[in-house]
Short mmCIF file of all heavy atoms in Angstrom, two decimals:
data_model
loop_
_atom_site.label_atom_id
_atom_site.label_comp_id
_atom_site.label_asym_id
_atom_site.label_seq_id
_atom_site.Cartn_x
_atom_site.Cartn_y
_atom_site.Cartn_z
N MET A 223 8.18 10.45 -1.25
CA MET A 223 7.63 9.21 -1.82
C MET A 223 6.12 9.37 -2.03
O MET A 223 5.42 9.89 -1.18
CB MET A 223 7.87 8.03 -0.86
CG MET A 223 7.17 6.75 -1.28
SD MET A 223 7.12 5.53 0.06
CE MET A 223 8.69 4.72 -0.16
N ARG A 224 5.71 8.89 -3.20
CA ARG A 224 4.27 8.83 -3.44
C ARG A 224 3.93 7.39 -3.83
O ARG A 224 4.74 6.71 -4.47
CB ARG A 224 3.91 9.80 -4.58
CG ARG A 224 2.48 10.23 -4.61
CD ARG A 224 2.37 11.67 -5.18
NE ARG A 224 3.13 11.82 -6.42
CZ ARG A 224 2.66 11.47 -7.61
NH1 ARG A 224 1.47 10.92 -7.74
NH2 ARG A 224 3.39 11.66 -8.68
N ILE A 225 2.77 6.92 -3.42
CA ILE A 225 2.39 5.54 -3.74
C ILE A 225 1.05 5.53 -4.47
O ILE A 225 0.24 6.43 -4.31
CB ILE A 225 2.31 4.65 -2.48
CG1 ILE A 225 1.41 5.28 -1.41
CG2 ILE A 225 3.69 4.38 -1.94
CD1 ILE A 225 1.22 4.38 -0.19
N SER A 226 0.89 4.48 -5.27
CA SER A 226 -0.41 4.29 -5.91
C SER A 226 -0.81 2.83 -5.76
O SER A 226 0.03 1.95 -5.59
CB SER A 226 -0.37 4.70 -7.38
OG SER A 226 0.45 3.83 -8.11
N ALA A 227 -2.11 2.60 -5.79
CA ALA A 227 -2.65 1.26 -5.65
C ALA A 227 -3.66 1.02 -6.76
O ALA A 227 -4.50 1.87 -7.04
CB ALA A 227 -3.32 1.10 -4.29
N ASP A 228 -3.53 -0.12 -7.41
CA ASP A 228 -4.44 -0.49 -8.49
C ASP A 228 -5.48 -1.46 -7.93
O ASP A 228 -5.21 -2.65 -7.77
CB ASP A 228 -3.64 -1.13 -9.63
CG ASP A 228 -4.51 -1.43 -10.83
OD1 ASP A 228 -5.75 -1.39 -10.71
OD2 ASP A 228 -3.94 -1.70 -11.90
N THR A 229 -6.65 -0.93 -7.64
CA THR A 229 -7.68 -1.78 -7.02
C THR A 229 -8.26 -2.79 -8.01
O THR A 229 -8.92 -3.73 -7.60
CB THR A 229 -8.82 -0.92 -6.42
OG1 THR A 229 -9.29 -0.03 -7.42
CG2 THR A 229 -8.34 -0.15 -5.22
N ASP A 230 -7.98 -2.61 -9.30
CA ASP A 230 -8.47 -3.59 -10.29
C ASP A 230 -7.70 -4.91 -10.18
O ASP A 230 -8.24 -5.95 -10.52
CB ASP A 230 -8.33 -3.04 -11.71
CG ASP A 230 -9.36 -1.96 -12.00
OD1 ASP A 230 -10.38 -1.91 -11.28
OD2 ASP A 230 -9.14 -1.16 -12.92
N VAL A 231 -6.44 -4.85 -9.76
CA VAL A 231 -5.66 -6.09 -9.65
C VAL A 231 -5.50 -6.56 -8.21
O VAL A 231 -5.11 -7.69 -7.97
CB VAL A 231 -4.27 -5.96 -10.34
CG1 VAL A 231 -4.43 -5.62 -11.81
CG2 VAL A 231 -3.41 -4.94 -9.63
N CYS A 232 -5.80 -5.70 -7.24
CA CYS A 232 -5.73 -6.10 -5.83
C CYS A 232 -6.65 -7.28 -5.57
O CYS A 232 -7.81 -7.27 -5.99
CB CYS A 232 -6.14 -4.91 -4.96
SG CYS A 232 -6.31 -5.32 -3.21
N ILE A 233 -6.12 -8.30 -4.90
CA ILE A 233 -6.94 -9.48 -4.60
C ILE A 233 -7.35 -9.50 -3.12
O ILE A 233 -7.86 -10.50 -2.64
CB ILE A 233 -6.18 -10.78 -4.96
CG1 ILE A 233 -4.84 -10.86 -4.23
CG2 ILE A 233 -6.01 -10.89 -6.47
CD1 ILE A 233 -4.13 -12.20 -4.38
N GLY A 234 -7.08 -8.40 -2.42
CA GLY A 234 -7.54 -8.29 -1.03
C GLY A 234 -6.83 -9.21 -0.07
O GLY A 234 -7.39 -9.62 0.95
N ALA A 235 -5.58 -9.52 -0.39
CA ALA A 235 -4.83 -10.45 0.46
C ALA A 235 -4.47 -9.84 1.82
O ALA A 235 -4.24 -10.56 2.77
CB ALA A 235 -3.55 -10.90 -0.25
N GLY A 236 -4.41 -8.52 1.88
CA GLY A 236 -4.22 -7.85 3.16
C GLY A 236 -2.79 -7.80 3.67
O GLY A 236 -2.55 -7.34 4.78
N GLN A 237 -1.84 -8.28 2.86
CA GLN A 237 -0.44 -8.23 3.31
C GLN A 237 0.01 -6.80 3.58
O GLN A 237 0.77 -6.54 4.51
CB GLN A 237 0.48 -8.84 2.23
CG GLN A 237 0.42 -10.35 2.16
CD GLN A 237 0.91 -11.00 3.43
OE1 GLN A 237 1.79 -10.50 4.10
NE2 GLN A 237 0.31 -12.12 3.78
N CYS A 238 -0.46 -5.89 2.77
CA CYS A 238 -0.06 -4.48 2.93
C CYS A 238 -0.56 -3.94 4.28
O CYS A 238 0.17 -3.23 4.96
CB CYS A 238 -0.58 -3.65 1.77
SG CYS A 238 -2.36 -3.79 1.49
N VAL A 239 -1.77 -4.29 4.64
CA VAL A 239 -2.35 -3.80 5.90
C VAL A 239 -1.58 -4.38 7.08
O VAL A 239 -1.29 -3.67 8.06
CB VAL A 239 -3.84 -4.17 5.99
CG1 VAL A 239 -4.46 -3.58 7.25
CG2 VAL A 239 -4.59 -3.69 4.76
N LEU A 240 -1.22 -5.64 6.98
CA LEU A 240 -0.44 -6.26 8.05
C LEU A 240 0.93 -5.62 8.16
O LEU A 240 1.49 -5.49 9.25
CB LEU A 240 -0.28 -7.77 7.79
CG LEU A 240 -1.56 -8.61 7.90
CD1 LEU A 240 -1.29 -10.03 7.43
CD2 LEU A 240 -2.07 -8.60 9.33
N THR A 241 1.48 -5.22 7.03
CA THR A 241 2.82 -4.65 7.01
C THR A 241 2.84 -3.22 7.55
O THR A 241 3.72 -2.87 8.34
CB THR A 241 3.39 -4.67 5.58
OG1 THR A 241 3.34 -6.01 5.10
CG2 THR A 241 4.82 -4.17 5.53
N GLU A 242 1.87 -2.39 7.15
CA GLU A 242 1.85 -1.00 7.64
C GLU A 242 0.42 -0.46 7.71
O GLU A 242 -0.04 0.20 6.78
CB GLU A 242 2.73 -0.10 6.77
CG GLU A 242 2.91 1.30 7.35
CD GLU A 242 3.14 1.27 8.84
OE1 GLU A 242 4.27 1.00 9.25
OE2 GLU A 242 2.18 1.51 9.63
N PRO A 243 -0.27 -0.75 8.81
CA PRO A 243 -1.66 -0.31 8.93
C PRO A 243 -1.84 1.20 8.99
O PRO A 243 -2.96 1.69 8.83
CB PRO A 243 -2.14 -0.98 10.22
CG PRO A 243 -0.91 -1.36 10.96
CD PRO A 243 0.17 -1.57 9.95
N ALA A 244 -0.77 1.94 9.22
CA ALA A 244 -0.89 3.40 9.24
C ALA A 244 -1.07 3.95 7.82
O ALA A 244 -1.56 5.07 7.64
CB ALA A 244 0.33 4.03 9.89
N VAL A 245 -0.68 3.17 6.83
CA VAL A 245 -0.75 3.64 5.44
C VAL A 245 -1.83 2.90 4.65
O VAL A 245 -2.54 3.50 3.85
CB VAL A 245 0.62 3.45 4.74
CG1 VAL A 245 0.54 3.84 3.26
CG2 VAL A 245 1.69 4.28 5.46
N PHE A 246 -1.95 1.59 4.91
CA PHE A 246 -2.86 0.77 4.11
C PHE A 246 -4.05 0.31 4.94
O PHE A 246 -3.93 0.01 6.12
CB PHE A 246 -2.12 -0.47 3.58
CG PHE A 246 -0.92 -0.14 2.75
CD1 PHE A 246 0.36 -0.27 3.29
CD2 PHE A 246 -1.04 0.28 1.44
CE1 PHE A 246 1.49 0.03 2.54
CE2 PHE A 246 0.08 0.58 0.68
CZ PHE A 246 1.35 0.46 1.23
N ASP A 247 -5.18 0.23 4.26
CA ASP A 247 -6.39 -0.31 4.87
C ASP A 247 -7.10 -1.13 3.80
O ASP A 247 -6.67 -1.15 2.64
CB ASP A 247 -7.29 0.83 5.38
CG ASP A 247 -8.27 0.36 6.45
OD1 ASP A 247 -8.36 -0.86 6.71
OD2 ASP A 247 -8.96 1.23 7.02
N GLN A 248 -8.16 -1.81 4.20
CA GLN A 248 -8.92 -2.58 3.22
C GLN A 248 -10.36 -2.12 3.23
O GLN A 248 -10.93 -1.85 4.30
CB GLN A 248 -8.88 -4.08 3.56
CG GLN A 248 -7.62 -4.77 3.07
CD GLN A 248 -7.58 -6.23 3.52
OE1 GLN A 248 -7.27 -6.50 4.67
NE2 GLN A 248 -7.88 -7.13 2.61
N ASP A 249 -10.95 -2.05 2.05
CA ASP A 249 -12.35 -1.70 1.92
C ASP A 249 -13.22 -2.73 2.66
O ASP A 249 -13.02 -3.93 2.49
CB ASP A 249 -12.72 -1.65 0.44
CG ASP A 249 -14.16 -1.26 0.21
OD1 ASP A 249 -14.42 -0.05 0.16
OD2 ASP A 249 -15.00 -2.17 0.10
N ASP A 250 -14.16 -2.26 3.46
CA ASP A 250 -14.98 -3.17 4.27
C ASP A 250 -15.78 -4.13 3.40
O ASP A 250 -15.96 -5.29 3.76
CB ASP A 250 -15.93 -2.36 5.15
CG ASP A 250 -15.21 -1.70 6.31
OD1 ASP A 250 -14.09 -2.16 6.65
OD2 ASP A 250 -15.73 -0.73 6.86
N ALA A 251 -16.27 -3.65 2.30
CA ALA A 251 -17.13 -4.49 1.46
C ALA A 251 -16.33 -5.35 0.49
O ALA A 251 -16.55 -6.56 0.38
CB ALA A 251 -18.12 -3.61 0.69
N GLU A 252 -15.39 -4.74 -0.22
CA GLU A 252 -14.69 -5.44 -1.30
C GLU A 252 -13.42 -6.14 -0.82
O GLU A 252 -12.95 -7.07 -1.46
CB GLU A 252 -14.30 -4.44 -2.41
CG GLU A 252 -15.46 -3.63 -2.95
CD GLU A 252 -16.35 -4.46 -3.86
OE1 GLU A 252 -15.86 -5.45 -4.42
OE2 GLU A 252 -17.55 -4.13 -3.97
N GLY A 253 -12.84 -5.63 0.27
CA GLY A 253 -11.58 -6.19 0.73
C GLY A 253 -10.37 -5.64 0.00
O GLY A 253 -9.24 -6.01 0.31
N THR A 254 -10.60 -4.79 -0.97
CA THR A 254 -9.48 -4.24 -1.74
C THR A 254 -8.80 -3.11 -0.96
O THR A 254 -9.36 -2.54 -0.03
CB THR A 254 -9.96 -3.72 -3.11
OG1 THR A 254 -11.11 -2.90 -2.90
CG2 THR A 254 -10.32 -4.87 -4.03
N VAL A 255 -7.58 -2.83 -1.38
CA VAL A 255 -6.74 -1.90 -0.64
C VAL A 255 -7.30 -0.47 -0.69
O VAL A 255 -7.84 -0.02 -1.71
CB VAL A 255 -5.29 -1.94 -1.19
CG1 VAL A 255 -5.22 -1.47 -2.63
CG2 VAL A 255 -4.36 -1.14 -0.30
N VAL A 256 -7.18 0.21 0.43
CA VAL A 256 -7.51 1.63 0.54
C VAL A 256 -6.28 2.31 1.13
O VAL A 256 -5.71 1.84 2.12
CB VAL A 256 -8.72 1.85 1.48
CG1 VAL A 256 -8.98 3.33 1.70
CG2 VAL A 256 -9.97 1.16 0.94
N LEU A 257 -5.87 3.40 0.52
CA LEU A 257 -4.70 4.13 1.03
C LEU A 257 -5.16 5.22 1.99
O LEU A 257 -6.02 6.04 1.65
CB LEU A 257 -3.94 4.77 -0.14
CG LEU A 257 -3.36 3.83 -1.19
CD1 LEU A 257 -2.72 4.64 -2.32
CD2 LEU A 257 -2.35 2.88 -0.57
N HIS A 258 -4.58 5.22 3.19
CA HIS A 258 -4.85 6.33 4.11
C HIS A 258 -4.22 7.60 3.57
O HIS A 258 -4.72 8.70 3.80
CB HIS A 258 -4.27 6.04 5.50
CG HIS A 258 -5.03 5.00 6.26
ND1 HIS A 258 -6.37 5.11 6.53
CD2 HIS A 258 -4.63 3.83 6.82
CE1 HIS A 258 -6.77 4.05 7.23
NE2 HIS A 258 -5.74 3.26 7.40
N THR A 259 -3.11 7.45 2.87
CA THR A 259 -2.43 8.59 2.25
C THR A 259 -1.68 8.11 1.03
O THR A 259 -1.25 6.96 0.98
CB THR A 259 -1.45 9.24 3.25
OG1 THR A 259 -0.73 10.28 2.57
CG2 THR A 259 -0.45 8.23 3.79
N THR A 260 -1.54 8.97 0.03
CA THR A 260 -0.70 8.62 -1.12
C THR A 260 0.72 9.13 -0.92
O THR A 260 1.60 8.84 -1.72
CB THR A 260 -1.27 9.23 -2.42
OG1 THR A 260 -1.38 10.64 -2.27
CG2 THR A 260 -2.63 8.62 -2.75
N GLU A 261 0.94 9.93 0.14
CA GLU A 261 2.28 10.45 0.41
C GLU A 261 2.65 10.13 1.86
O GLU A 261 2.56 11.00 2.74
CB GLU A 261 2.33 11.96 0.14
CG GLU A 261 2.07 12.28 -1.32
CD GLU A 261 2.16 13.77 -1.63
OE1 GLU A 261 2.60 14.54 -0.76
OE2 GLU A 261 1.79 14.15 -2.74
N PRO A 262 3.06 8.90 2.13
CA PRO A 262 3.37 8.51 3.50
C PRO A 262 4.57 9.26 4.07
O PRO A 262 5.50 9.61 3.34
CB PRO A 262 3.66 7.01 3.39
CG PRO A 262 3.93 6.75 1.97
CD PRO A 262 3.24 7.80 1.18
N ALA A 263 4.51 9.51 5.37
CA ALA A 263 5.61 10.18 6.06
C ALA A 263 6.88 9.33 5.98
O ALA A 263 6.82 8.11 5.80
CB ALA A 263 5.23 10.40 7.52
N ALA A 264 8.00 10.00 6.10
CA ALA A 264 9.30 9.34 5.95
C ALA A 264 9.44 8.12 6.87
O ALA A 264 10.04 7.11 6.47
CB ALA A 264 10.42 10.34 6.23
N GLU A 265 8.86 8.19 8.05
CA GLU A 265 9.00 7.09 8.99
C GLU A 265 8.35 5.80 8.48
O GLU A 265 8.64 4.72 8.99
CB GLU A 265 8.41 7.48 10.35
CG GLU A 265 6.91 7.68 10.30
CD GLU A 265 6.38 8.44 11.53
OE1 GLU A 265 6.19 7.81 12.57
OE2 GLU A 265 6.15 9.64 11.41
N TYR A 266 7.45 5.91 7.51
CA TYR A 266 6.75 4.72 7.01
C TYR A 266 7.35 4.20 5.70
O TYR A 266 6.88 3.19 5.16
CB TYR A 266 5.27 5.03 6.78
CG TYR A 266 4.55 5.43 8.04
CD1 TYR A 266 3.86 6.64 8.11
CD2 TYR A 266 4.56 4.62 9.17
CE1 TYR A 266 3.20 7.01 9.27
CE2 TYR A 266 3.90 4.98 10.33
CZ TYR A 266 3.23 6.19 10.37
OH TYR A 266 2.59 6.56 11.52
N GLU A 267 8.36 4.89 5.16
CA GLU A 267 8.83 4.55 3.82
C GLU A 267 9.38 3.13 3.73
O GLU A 267 9.13 2.43 2.75
CB GLU A 267 9.86 5.57 3.34
CG GLU A 267 9.21 6.91 3.03
CD GLU A 267 10.13 7.86 2.30
OE1 GLU A 267 11.29 7.48 2.01
OE2 GLU A 267 9.70 9.00 2.04
N ASP A 268 10.14 2.69 4.73
CA ASP A 268 10.69 1.33 4.68
C ASP A 268 9.58 0.29 4.67
O ASP A 268 9.61 -0.68 3.90
CB ASP A 268 11.62 1.08 5.87
CG ASP A 268 12.96 1.78 5.71
OD1 ASP A 268 13.24 2.28 4.59
OD2 ASP A 268 13.71 1.84 6.69
N ALA A 269 8.57 0.51 5.52
CA ALA A 269 7.46 -0.45 5.58
C ALA A 269 6.66 -0.44 4.28
O ALA A 269 6.20 -1.49 3.82
CB ALA A 269 6.55 -0.11 6.76
N VAL A 270 6.53 0.74 3.69
CA VAL A 270 5.81 0.82 2.41
C VAL A 270 6.56 0.05 1.33
O VAL A 270 5.96 -0.69 0.54
CB VAL A 270 5.61 2.29 2.00
CG1 VAL A 270 5.16 2.39 0.54
CG2 VAL A 270 4.59 2.97 2.90
N ARG A 271 7.89 0.18 1.31
CA ARG A 271 8.68 -0.58 0.32
C ARG A 271 8.51 -2.08 0.54
O ARG A 271 8.39 -2.86 -0.41
CB ARG A 271 10.16 -0.21 0.41
CG ARG A 271 10.46 1.17 -0.12
CD ARG A 271 11.95 1.51 -0.03
NE ARG A 271 12.14 2.94 0.10
CZ ARG A 271 12.05 3.80 -0.91
NH1 ARG A 271 11.78 3.35 -2.11
NH2 ARG A 271 12.21 5.08 -0.71
N ASP A 272 8.48 -2.50 1.81
CA ASP A 272 8.24 -3.92 2.11
C ASP A 272 6.88 -4.35 1.59
O ASP A 272 6.74 -5.42 0.99
CB ASP A 272 8.30 -4.15 3.62
CG ASP A 272 9.71 -4.08 4.18
OD1 ASP A 272 10.67 -4.10 3.37
OD2 ASP A 272 9.86 -4.01 5.41
N ALA A 273 5.87 -3.53 1.83
CA ALA A 273 4.51 -3.88 1.40
C ALA A 273 4.42 -4.01 -0.11
O ALA A 273 3.77 -4.92 -0.62
CB ALA A 273 3.52 -2.82 1.90
N VAL A 274 5.10 -3.12 -0.82
CA VAL A 274 5.10 -3.19 -2.28
C VAL A 274 5.71 -4.51 -2.74
O VAL A 274 5.20 -5.17 -3.65
CB VAL A 274 5.86 -1.99 -2.88
CG1 VAL A 274 6.07 -2.16 -4.39
CG2 VAL A 274 5.12 -0.68 -2.60
N GLN A 275 6.81 -4.93 -2.09
CA GLN A 275 7.46 -6.19 -2.43
C GLN A 275 6.58 -7.39 -2.10
O GLN A 275 6.56 -8.38 -2.83
CB GLN A 275 8.79 -6.33 -1.67
CG GLN A 275 9.83 -5.30 -2.04
CD GLN A 275 10.37 -5.50 -3.44
OE1 GLN A 275 10.51 -6.63 -3.88
NE2 GLN A 275 10.63 -4.41 -4.13
N LEU A 276 5.86 -7.30 -0.99
CA LEU A 276 5.11 -8.44 -0.48
C LEU A 276 3.77 -8.64 -1.18
O LEU A 276 3.22 -9.74 -1.16
CB LEU A 276 4.85 -8.27 1.02
CG LEU A 276 6.06 -8.47 1.93
CD1 LEU A 276 5.75 -7.98 3.35
CD2 LEU A 276 6.46 -9.93 1.96
N CYS A 277 3.24 -7.60 -1.77
CA CYS A 277 1.91 -7.71 -2.39
C CYS A 277 1.91 -8.80 -3.45
O CYS A 277 2.65 -8.72 -4.43
CB CYS A 277 1.51 -6.37 -3.02
SG CYS A 277 -0.04 -6.50 -3.95
N PRO A 278 1.08 -9.83 -3.29
CA PRO A 278 1.09 -10.95 -4.23
C PRO A 278 0.51 -10.60 -5.60
O PRO A 278 0.71 -11.34 -6.56
CB PRO A 278 0.25 -12.02 -3.52
CG PRO A 278 -0.63 -11.26 -2.60
CD PRO A 278 0.15 -10.04 -2.18
N ALA A 279 -0.21 -9.49 -5.67
CA ALA A 279 -0.84 -9.11 -6.94
C ALA A 279 -0.10 -7.99 -7.66
O ALA A 279 -0.52 -7.55 -8.72
CB ALA A 279 -2.27 -8.68 -6.67
N GLN A 280 1.00 -7.52 -7.06
CA GLN A 280 1.73 -6.37 -7.60
C GLN A 280 0.79 -5.18 -7.86
O GLN A 280 0.85 -4.52 -8.89
CB GLN A 280 2.47 -6.74 -8.89
CG GLN A 280 3.84 -7.34 -8.62
CD GLN A 280 3.98 -8.72 -9.23
OE1 GLN A 280 3.62 -8.92 -10.38
NE2 GLN A 280 4.47 -9.67 -8.48
N ALA A 281 -0.08 -4.96 -6.91
CA ALA A 281 -1.07 -3.89 -7.04
C ALA A 281 -0.54 -2.54 -6.57
O ALA A 281 -1.15 -1.52 -6.83
CB ALA A 281 -2.32 -4.25 -6.24
N LEU A 282 0.59 -2.57 -5.86
CA LEU A 282 1.13 -1.35 -5.27
C LEU A 282 2.36 -0.89 -6.03
O LEU A 282 3.18 -1.71 -6.44
CB LEU A 282 1.51 -1.60 -3.79
CG LEU A 282 0.37 -2.12 -2.91
CD1 LEU A 282 0.92 -2.50 -1.54
CD2 LEU A 282 -0.74 -1.10 -2.80
N SER A 283 2.49 0.39 -6.19
CA SER A 283 3.72 0.91 -6.82
C SER A 283 4.13 2.21 -6.16
O SER A 283 3.31 2.93 -5.58
CB SER A 283 3.55 1.08 -8.32
OG SER A 283 2.41 1.85 -8.59
N ILE A 284 5.43 2.46 -6.25
CA ILE A 284 6.02 3.67 -5.67
C ILE A 284 6.36 4.62 -6.78
O ILE A 284 6.93 4.22 -7.79
CB ILE A 284 7.30 3.30 -4.88
CG1 ILE A 284 6.93 2.48 -3.65
CG2 ILE A 284 8.07 4.57 -4.48
CD1 ILE A 284 8.13 1.92 -2.91
N VAL A 285 5.99 5.87 -6.58
CA VAL A 285 6.34 6.92 -7.53
C VAL A 285 7.39 7.77 -6.85
O VAL A 285 7.08 8.52 -5.93
CB VAL A 285 5.11 7.77 -7.88
CG1 VAL A 285 5.43 8.80 -8.94
CG2 VAL A 285 3.93 6.89 -8.29
N GLU A 286 8.65 7.60 -7.25
CA GLU A 286 9.73 8.39 -6.64
C GLU A 286 9.66 9.81 -7.19
O GLU A 286 9.45 10.02 -8.38
CB GLU A 286 11.10 7.77 -6.95
CG GLU A 286 11.28 6.38 -6.38
CD GLU A 286 11.46 6.35 -4.85
OE1 GLU A 286 11.48 7.43 -4.24
OE2 GLU A 286 11.57 5.24 -4.31
N GLU A 287 9.84 10.79 -6.32
CA GLU A 287 9.73 12.19 -6.74
C GLU A 287 11.09 12.71 -7.14
O GLU A 287 12.09 12.31 -6.61
CB GLU A 287 9.18 13.02 -5.60
CG GLU A 287 8.02 12.31 -4.92
CD GLU A 287 6.69 12.96 -5.17
OE1 GLU A 287 6.39 13.92 -4.45
OE2 GLU A 287 5.96 12.52 -6.06
S1 LIG B 101 -1.23 -6.82 -0.37
FE1 LIG B 101 -1.74 -6.28 -2.49
S2 LIG B 101 -3.41 -7.64 -3.03
FE2 LIG B 101 -3.25 -7.64 -0.80
S3 LIG B 101 -4.71 -6.05 -0.12
FE3 LIG B 101 -2.68 -5.11 -0.31
S4 LIG B 101 -2.67 -4.26 -2.39
FE4 LIG B 101 -4.31 -5.75 -2.32
#
C-alpha cells in the first residue's frame, strides 16, 4: 500500500492523526497533514483505510500496488 496526501485540500481537521498517529501527523505551523511514511507497514493498513474514509476533506488517497 502506498498513500498520498493533498495538503492543498487538507483542512487540518486531524482525524487522520487521531486514527493512526504512527502514520499521520500534522504540521506544527499550518496544521495540515504530514505523512510519517508513504508506505505504511501492513499492520497499519486497516487504520489507514479508516483514516482515508474519515477525512472530511478527502485529502488522503490510497495507491494500490
Ligand atoms: S483528516 Fe484530512 S483534513 Fe484532517 S488533517 Fe487529516 S488529511 Fe487533513
Side-chain angles (χ1 to χ4, degrees):
M223 173 194 273
R224 202 149 49 83
I225 53 176
S226 67
D228 185 346
T229 52
D230 287 340
V231 300
C232 172
I233 57 172
Q237 285 296 327
C238 54
V239 184
L240 292 173
T241 304
E242 188 42 80
V245 176
F246 302 103
D247 201 353
Q248 278 176 282
D249 181 86
D250 286 340
E252 306 286 335
T254 48
V255 64
V256 174
L257 299 176
H258 287 303
T259 175
T260 57
E261 297 182 10
E265 66 196 279
Y266 299 125
E267 289 191 1
D268 285 349
V270 167
R271 288 180 208 283
D272 287 347
V274 171
Q275 295 291 325
L276 287 168
C277 174
Q280 275 123 46
L282 303 173
S283 53
I284 292 172
V285 184
E286 297 287 358
E287 316 250 277

